[in-house]
């Protein structure tokens, strides 16, 4: 529809939010050359203007909200394989660790240091998931 024919009270085809299909509507609010509000002639409800869906047009794709989650066992196995050449160190909170160090923890088992978020913290991947442990104290 061209900007010269848009005016309040004119009839337009739009997708009704209540009827869920293209219907004839009356324009009830505009801003400049943009239609803001319409009123459905079938059900009488007022809503934001939505252009009618064009037949044969592909439906809009929705973005996936979640990213594929990798199970902690898979990550742990990859890290253990990558650090296979390193010697396994017994975990104690008074030692300084580096990324990719292999550790043996009394409670959590074998793990690999993945990150050092602070001077006294180490993020370690264990078979059941990552844990943030203290170190260098």
């Amino acid at each position: 529809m061209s900007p010269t024919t848009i005016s309040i009270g004119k009839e337009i085809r739009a997708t009704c939010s209540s009827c869920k299909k293209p219907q004839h509507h009356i324009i009830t609010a505009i801003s400049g050359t943009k239609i803001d509000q319409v009123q459905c002639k079938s059900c009488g409800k007022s809503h934001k203007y939505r252009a009618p869906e064009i037949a044969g047009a592909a439906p809009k794709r929705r973005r996936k909200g979640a990213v594929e989650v990798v199970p902690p066992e898979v990550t742990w196995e990859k890290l253990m394989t990558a650090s296979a050449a390193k010697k396994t160190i017994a975990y104690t909170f008074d030692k300084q660790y580096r990324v990719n160090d292999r550790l043996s923890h009394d409670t959590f088992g074998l793990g690999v240091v993945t990150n050092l978020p602070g001077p006294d913290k180490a993020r370690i991947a264990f078979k059941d998931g990552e844990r943030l442990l203290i170190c260098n104290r």
Side-chain angles (χ1 to χ4, degrees):
M1 186 172 272
S2 67
T4 56
T5 60
I6 294 175
S7 65
I8 293 176
K10 293 259 183 172
E11 190 172 298
I12 189 169
R13 195 140 168 92
T15 302
C16 181
S17 61
S18 294
C19 302
K20 306 291 186 211
K21 58 184 178 179
Q23 299 282 10
H24 290 281
H25 287 71
I26 302 294
I27 299 172
T28 57
I30 57 173
S31 61
T33 60
K34 183 181 167 224
I35 301 170
D36 288 332
Q37 291 280 323
V38 291
Q39 182 178 12
C40 181
K41 289 180 81 177
S42 295
C43 68
K45 299 240 175 141
S46 291
H47 56 83
K48 279 179 123 176
Y49 170 73
R50 280 192 226 124
E53 295 177 12
I54 300 167
K60 289 184 180 179
R61 288 186 173 186
R62 293 184 181 213
R63 288 190 291 166
K64 293 182 179 177
V67 182
E68 183 181 342
V69 178
V70 179
E73 299 89 22
V74 173
T75 305
W76 177 79
E77 285 176 15
K78 286 181 183 178
L79 290 168
M80 291 300 285
T81 304
S83 65
K86 293 200 171 216
K87 184 180 176 184
T88 303
I89 306 165
Y91 169 79
T92 58
F93 64 88
D94 62 343
K95 287 187 183 174
Q96 177 81 31
Y97 299 108
R98 289 188 233 156
V99 175
N100 295 327
D101 279 352
R102 284 176 68 127
L103 303 177
S104 174
H105 192 277
D106 292 339
T107 306
F108 306 122
L110 290 175
V112 178
V113 178
T114 59
N115 189 2
L116 298 168
D120 60 345
K121 295 177 185 167
R123 188 167 299 281
I124 304 167
F126 293 101
K127 191 170 187 172
D128 63 342
E130 274 196 348
R131 305 211 187 268
L132 185 64
L133 302 177
I134 60 170
C135 64
N136 199 26
R137 285 205 179 167

